């Protein structure tokens, strides 16, 4: 029965929020942040049992990162690296990938970011399987809602509606990143989950939604799939640059949320990395009256921190960063300034 | 009239208070902390005009640092590098150096640390000249008292007595490092100066004081000076290990202090280095909501500090240090622990 299931990993992002480790040339999905494996590699390992076979696992990326994807995932069939001809945000990329996956005769797909971290892979798979089961037997677009454990203002939220089945609720609406007071209210109410950008659907359900809410993308992705390879770029260039959330999810009525709690992080800041990292400090970190210190370095020399709590020290050939973990979001301003000054 | 004057620079110290730059193999007098020249080199430049001629300038060090001294001071006559055969603190070292300087026919000596920093060299020389003038015409041991500008608890103090001449006072007593409240009282009273370990005297005045207050060192230093080179070590080994302050200065009654204010630092912590360094931040330092940041690195990559004030980042092949400038004295505990664990 699972033979029609597939997995699509989105690995085309180019964040710099973990500078100096992540850059546009080396975005965070390719970084070995935890346990020596990259986030992409850990995502692959987490999802492979759901797909069952590498032939049903696809990676969406672009030309710039194709070699990195192939090098980091040696078991991924080369034909399953789906390269977008230009950067057009998630809706066009997902649309053309879904066309290709349908062409391979597959029936459903789970779409997941490549640059998030999960603590409990087994529980994650249990939740994702629940989502597949629902999507395979209903005309619904399923998304996974992450149980919030703090009033985070950096994520979008899902407003949860009435229960449909055990762990499955109808989605009321997508909500943009809230301010602090609103996020606290969301957390208190228990009626909101974090939007982790994970989607599970039958391909025919998705194409129906695409035709209804984003007919231009529906048509162009159809033409793209039918075009000979050397004409695809000119078709893709006509795509609007828009996210799947804006293009489809926020308009569709047939959305359900499967609630999940498996120790999730978007790894979106050094503060998120430090929270997710295991508590054990590396041997080359030496501290004096310093707690909550996160260090990333090659271990070739001691890193000493004296009299400072809750900081991260990121030592890389590209740069050295010392950052207050309670002000980690300020990094984006600094990276933008360095880019402008270049 | 100045022909009998000499200068002795003490360059045998082995501090590690500026780890990871300073170590026992590479103590701070040899580090190019300011303007590309080492503290020893800057001390040499500051003092050479007082000596008038490199032939009247001497450096006391030990075998371990001899090559560094010779490399950093190419104009220093090799015979003026006075090497102590063993480490015995300042009293024995100064005693044998003074014997040698007397043997060269010189009449007075000014003794200065090699690892302090001075902002106004000309004013320093004016004060030191005043001390030479007094010492050359009186049977007094002269010391320079530094005007305190904060209630520092890391220095010894000089309690000042009645004035003798313009800028010259009799010394009441040497005072050990005070606690905070006492240091504040000292600062308020205006009757105390910092002891910077700078001494100026006629050699005959010093030998008389040595015979009176430290007869053992007086006798051994006389035997040392008369012994053939291969017997000196065994004489020196009999010396007590004691500082010049304990052995002579705290006992002698004929001490005067010349008050000085020339922008002085003992460069005894990263906090002292940061205070003394010019305000201009290096180009490779990038900051976001971070003020009072001191950086030492080779400039080959950006050093970014985000959301942290008053810290120092010291990036060296030996180690990477991130330290709160208001807790800089904690470094000694960390360095001691690293030494113990080795």
């Amino acid at each position: 029965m699972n033979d029609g299931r597939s997995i699509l990993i989105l690995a085309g992002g180019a964040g710099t929020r973990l500078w100096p480790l992540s850059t546009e040339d080396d975005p965070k999905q390719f970084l070995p942040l935890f346990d020596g494996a990259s986030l992409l590699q850990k995502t692959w390992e987490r999802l492979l049992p759901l797909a069952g076979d590498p032939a049903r696992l696809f990676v969406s990326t672009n030309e710039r990162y194709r070699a990195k994807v192939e090098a980091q995932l040696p078991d991924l069939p080369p034909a399953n690296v789906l390269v977008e001809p230009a950067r057009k945000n998630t809706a066009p990329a997902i649309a053309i990938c879904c066309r290709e996956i349908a062409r391979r005769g597959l029936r459903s797909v789970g779409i997941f970011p490549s640059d998030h971290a999960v603590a409990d892979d087994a529980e994650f798979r249990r939740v994702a399987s629940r989502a597949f089961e629902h999507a395979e037997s209903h005309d619904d677009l399923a998304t996974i809602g992450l149980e919030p454990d703090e009033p985070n203002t950096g994520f979008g939220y899902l407003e949860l509606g009435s229960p449909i089945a055990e762990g499955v609720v109808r989605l009321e609406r997508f909500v943009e990143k809230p301010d602090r007071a609103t996020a606290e209210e969301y957390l208190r109410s228990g009626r909101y989950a974090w939007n982790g950008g994970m989607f599970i659907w039958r391909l025919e359900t998705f194409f129906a939604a695409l035709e209804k809410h984003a007919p231009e993308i529906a048509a162009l992705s159809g033409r793209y799939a039918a075009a000979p390879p050397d004409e695809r770029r000119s078709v893709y260039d006509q795509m609007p640059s828009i996210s799947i959330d804006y293009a489809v999810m926020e308009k569709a009525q047939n959305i359900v949320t499967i609630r999940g709690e498996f120790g999730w992080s978007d790894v979106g800041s050094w503060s998120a990395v430090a929270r997710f990292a295991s508590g054990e400090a590396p041997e080359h970190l030496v501290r004096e009256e310093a707690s909550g210190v996160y260090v990333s370095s090659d271990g070739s020399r001691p890193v000493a921190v004296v009299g400072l709590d809750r900081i991260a020290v990121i030592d890389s050939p590209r740069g050295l960063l010392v950052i207050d973990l309670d002000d980690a979001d300020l990094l984006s301003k600094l990276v933008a300034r360095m880019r402008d000054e270049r």
Side-chain angles (χ1 to χ4, degrees), chain A:
Chain A
M1 162 185 158
N2 292 357
D3 285 358
R5 275 187 196 172
S6 69
I7 296 289
L8 174 63
I9 299 174
L10 304 178
T16 58
R17 288 187 295 173
L18 299 186
W19 185 91
L21 294 198
S22 77
T23 63
E24 287 192 15
D25 278 335
D26 214 6
K28 80 176 199 275
Q29 60 267 32
F30 301 115
L31 301 178
L33 288 171
F34 307 112
D35 317 317
S38 77
L39 295 174
L40 172 64
Q41 288 171 320
K42 290 177 83 79
T43 301
W44 165 274
E45 283 161 25
R46 186 183 315 124
L47 291 167
L48 184 56
L50 283 177
D53 183 331
R56 289 196 297 273
L57 213 151
F58 300 82
V59 175
S60 168
T61 189
N62 48 60
E63 203 50 65
R64 191 175 188 180
Y65 306 140
R66 179 209 285 263
K68 277 184 196 290
V69 168
E70 291 177 347
Q72 291 202 353
L73 302 179
D75 293 337
L76 177 68
N80 288 15
V81 182
L82 307 180
V83 175
E84 54 185 351
R87 291 215 179 159
K88 291 286 184 182
N89 211 328
T90 50
I94 287 174
I96 63 165
C97 288
C98 284
R99 295 284 184 205
E100 175 62 21
I101 291 168
R103 200 185 64 78
R104 307 267 180 115
L106 294 159
R107 185 163 173 262
S108 63
V109 63
I111 302 172
F112 300 93
S114 60
D115 60 348
H116 293 174
V118 163
D120 185 344
D121 279 0
E123 175 62 13
F124 168 87
R125 281 190 292 264
R126 204 193 60 73
V127 171
S129 296
R130 188 77 198 78
F132 267 111
E133 282 156 20
H134 181 91
E136 282 159 356
S137 53
H138 296 79
D139 279 329
D140 286 333
L141 304 170
T143 181
I144 293 179
L146 304 148
E147 289 301 320
D149 57 12
E150 52 161 21
N152 198 305
T153 58
F155 303 143
Y157 281 70
L158 306 170
E159 185 183 342
L160 308 174
S162 47
I164 297 172
E166 176 68 28
V168 184
V169 299
R170 190 137 304 279
L171 184 81
E172 284 296 321
R173 59 179 183 116
F174 284 82
V175 188
E176 299 282 314
K177 293 175 187 178
D179 62 23
R180 179 84 189 183
T182 309
E184 279 169 1
E185 172 50 33
Y186 287 176
L187 185 62
R188 249 194 315 271
S189 77
R191 292 190 303 109
Y192 291 81
W194 290 335
N195 176 13
M198 307 178 201
F199 309 111
I200 300 95
W201 48 56
R202 271 184 298 129
L203 292 159
E204 64 175 312
T205 309
F206 172 65
F207 294 137
L210 201 61
E211 266 148 43
K212 184 169 177 188
H213 304 297
E216 190 185 3
I217 297 174
L220 285 166
S221 62
R223 281 177 51 199
Y224 181 94
D230 61 341
E231 289 172 24
R232 289 184 153 182
R233 171 71 193 253
S234 69
V235 177
Y236 201 76
D237 280 344
Q238 300 169 51
M239 286 278 196
S241 182
I242 185 170
S243 75
I244 193 74
D245 292 55
Y246 279 118
V248 177
M249 303 307 281
E250 294 186 7
K251 295 172 181 162
Q253 300 300 311
N254 57 333
I255 302 188
V256 298
T257 297
I258 291 80
R259 303 178 72 161
E261 197 160 12
F262 33 73
W264 171 87
S265 172
D266 78 330
V267 200
S269 66
W270 283 114
S271 164
V273 174
R275 265 200 309 274
F276 197 83
S278 74
E280 209 161 305
E283 257 188 40
H284 56 276
L285 171 61
V286 203
R287 285 172 298 169
E288 188 67 39
E289 300 202 7
S291 67
V293 173
Y294 177 81
V295 163
S296 167
S297 77
D298 68 4
S300 64
R301 56 182 183 157
V303 175
V305 177
V306 177
L308 293 160
D309 296 328
R310 294 193 47 69
I311 69 165
V313 180
I314 316 299
D315 177 19
S316 102
R318 207 175 270 136
L320 171 62
L321 171 68
V322 181
I323 188 166
D324 181 351
L325 285 172
D326 296 320
D327 263 336
D329 293 338
L330 291 173
L331 180 61
S332 58
K333 290 167 90 171
L334 180 136
V335 171
R337 216 173 61 231
M338 283 195 294
R339 188 188 297 127
D340 294 345
E341 283 167 10
R342 223 170 28 206

